[in-house]
Amino acid sequence: MTVQTTSDTRGTRGTRGTRGTRGIRGAFQRAPLAWFFFLTYALSWLAWTPYILSENGLGVWHHDFGSGGSGQILGVLPGAYLGPICSALLITSLTEGRRGLRNWRARMTTFRVGWQWYLLVMVSVPAALTLATTAMTDTTPIPPAAMLLAVYLPGLLIQMITTGLAEEPGWREFAMPRMQTRYGPLVATLVVGVLWGAWHLPLFLTDWGVGHGADPVRIAEFMVTALALSAVMTWVFNRSHESMPLVMLLHTSVNNYFSIAWAEMFPKLTDTQGSQALLMAAATAALIVLAATRGRLGYRGHRGHRDDQADRNDQADQADQADQDPRGTGPSAEGKEPAATAAPGVH
C-alpha cells in the first residue's frame, strides 16, 4: 500500500504546504523515515568511534573508558542517546513543530493501559528466559537471593532511563507507526528489526560485545534475536494502544534480567548459552504472536488513538487562535485554512 509522502507520514493528515518547502526541513518532510535511519546510524556510529578505537575496543587509541557497566555508560550510552531519540526529536520538531512535540510527549507518558499489561511483561520476561535456559541447558536455576530481588526493580528503573529511553522513542515510537502505515505490520517489523539489530554491529568490536564475540555465527544469532524481539514488541506496541512506557519496559526487562539475575541463577553457564536461551525465548514468543494474530501483530489499521489526540490538538489550536483573534476575522473565520503545521496523523 502506498501512502503519499507528507510532512506527517503517520497518515494522510497535514498534507498541504509541504511540496514547496526547501532546505533541510523540506528534505525531512519528503522522506522522514529515510532521514531518521540515516541520522540514527550516522550520529550513533560517530559517537561510538572513540569507544571502538579505545582500549575497550580495537586498542588503536590508548584510552580506557573503564570496565563493566561504567565503561559502557561512558562509551556506549552517549551514542545511543544521540542516535534514535535525538534523530526522532529533530525530525519531529522540524516537520511537525511544537504540536508534534506535544503529541510526542503525550505518547511517551501513556501509562494508562491495564495493570495486567505491566504484570504480564514484568513476570513473563524473566519466566520465559529462565524456562528457556533450563530447557536448553538442563540446568536447574538457583533461587534468587533476597539481595538480588532488592536490586532488581531499581536496576529496571535505571535501564528504563538509559537503554529504554535512548532507543525505543526512535525505533518504535517514530519509525514503527510510519512503517506500518506504508507497508503493514509484518514488513515494518522486518525492516525495523533488521535495522535495529544492525545498528548495534560496531559495538561487537568492543567490550559491549564480549558476551557475543565478533564471530559471524554469534552476530547472526544476535540479528535473529533482534528480529524476533521486534515482532513481540510490535505486538505489545499495537495491542497497548502504542504505550511507549510498556514497550520500554519489555525491552529493558530483557536487559535487566541478564544484567542482574541470570548469572546468579545460572552461575555455571556461559554468556553464549545465555544468548542462545534469549534467542530461543524470543523466537518462540514471536512465533506465538505471529500465529495468534495471523501476522497482524495487533495492528488495527490507520484509525487509532493518534487521530483522537490530533483532533483534540486541532480543537485546542483553534480555541487558542480564537482567543488571540477576538474579532473572529482569523484565517478560519474567513473560510481559509491555516498553513499546514503537520499535525500528527494516524497509522
Side-chain angles (χ1 to χ4, degrees):
M1 178 177 178
T2 302
V3 177
Q4 180 182 4
T5 301
T6 70
S7 60
D8 180 7
T9 53
R10 281 192 176 93
T12 57
R13 301 175 53 128
T15 59
R16 297 180 180 85
T18 65
R19 188 171 298 179
T21 305
R22 297 180 180 180
I24 191 65
R25 185 189 301 270
F28 284 170
Q29 288 174 342
R30 288 188 292 272
L33 276 170
W35 276 104
F36 167 75
F37 293 132
F38 171 77
L39 288 174
T40 294
Y41 271 69
L43 294 175
S44 291
W45 287 13
L46 181 63
W48 287 337
T49 299
Y51 186 63
I52 295 170
L53 297 178
S54 72
E55 297 290 348
N56 303 86
L58 300 176
V60 176
W61 179 35
H62 298 296
H63 176 77
D64 194 333
F65 282 85
S67 60
S70 61
Q72 292 185 21
I73 288 176
L74 295 175
V76 178
L77 194 58
Y81 274 124
L82 193 59
I85 185 172
C86 286
S87 299
L89 284 175
L90 174 63
I91 296 173
T92 299
S93 65
L94 289 179
T95 59
E96 302 177 27
R98 285 180 293 180
R99 180 188 297 179
L101 292 176
R102 288 199 304 268
N103 285 334
W104 178 87
R105 182 177 60 188
R107 292 190 296 267
M108 286 297 299
T109 55
T110 303
F111 291 96
R112 293 183 179 180
V113 295
W115 61 267
Q116 65 271 16
W117 278 105
Y118 294 102
L119 182 63
L120 174 66
V121 170
M122 295 187 67
V123 173
S124 64
V125 169
L129 295 173
T130 300
L131 289 173
T133 304
T134 300
M136 289 192 66
T137 64
D138 195 25
T139 302
T140 301
I142 298 175
M147 181 59 69
L148 187 150
L149 295 176
V151 301
Y152 191 84
L153 287 180
L156 188 58
L157 178 60
I158 293 173
Q159 290 276 2
M160 285 282 287
I161 61 178
T162 53
T163 302
L165 185 59
E167 297 188 29
E168 294 310 321
W171 297 112
R172 239 60 59 175
E173 203 287 328
F174 183 89
M176 183 56 68
R178 291 165 168 82
M179 289 294 299
Q180 288 191 128
T181 296
R182 291 188 177 189
Y183 307 113
L186 276 179
V187 174
T189 296
L190 177 64
V191 173
V192 172
V194 170
L195 292 175
W196 176 45
W199 174 70
H200 295 80
L201 291 183
L203 296 176
F204 280 89
L205 301 173
T206 70
D207 290 345
W208 179 92
V210 68
H212 306 283
D215 177 60
V217 174
R218 304 292 299 283
I219 293 176
E221 291 177 351
F222 176 84
M223 292 295 296
V224 174
T225 301
L227 183 58
L229 283 174
S230 184
V232 179
M233 294 172 74
T234 298
W235 176 73
V236 171
F237 179 73
N238 289 331
R239 287 288 294 164
S240 65
H241 301 286
E242 304 176 359
S243 170
M244 285 309 300
L246 190 65
V247 172
M248 291 164 58
L249 181 64
L250 173 59
H251 181 174
T252 56
S253 291
V254 175
N255 291 19
N256 196 52
Y257 175 81
F258 280 104
S259 297
I260 294 178
W262 187 82
E264 297 294 328
M265 296 174 66
F266 300 97
K268 295 183 179 180
L269 301 184
T270 65
D271 290 334
T272 299
Q273 290 170 305
S275 299
Q276 292 172 347
L278 173 57
L279 171 58
M280 176 182 178
T284 301
L287 290 174
I288 290 174
V289 297
L290 284 168
T293 64
R294 298 180 180 180
R296 294 295 296 170
L297 295 175
Y299 185 56
R300 296 181 177 89
H302 295 303
R303 187 76 194 177
H305 82 283
R306 291 177 189 246
D307 259 344
D308 300 332
Q309 181 66 45
D311 291 340
R312 286 193 293 270
N313 283 335
D314 285 342
Q315 294 170 3
D317 289 345
Q318 292 171 5
D320 291 342
Q321 187 178 35
D323 292 339
Q324 295 172 3
D325 189 3
R327 296 173 300 172
T329 57
S332 297
E334 295 175 357
K336 299 179 182 179
E337 295 189 4
T341 55
V346 294
H347 67 289

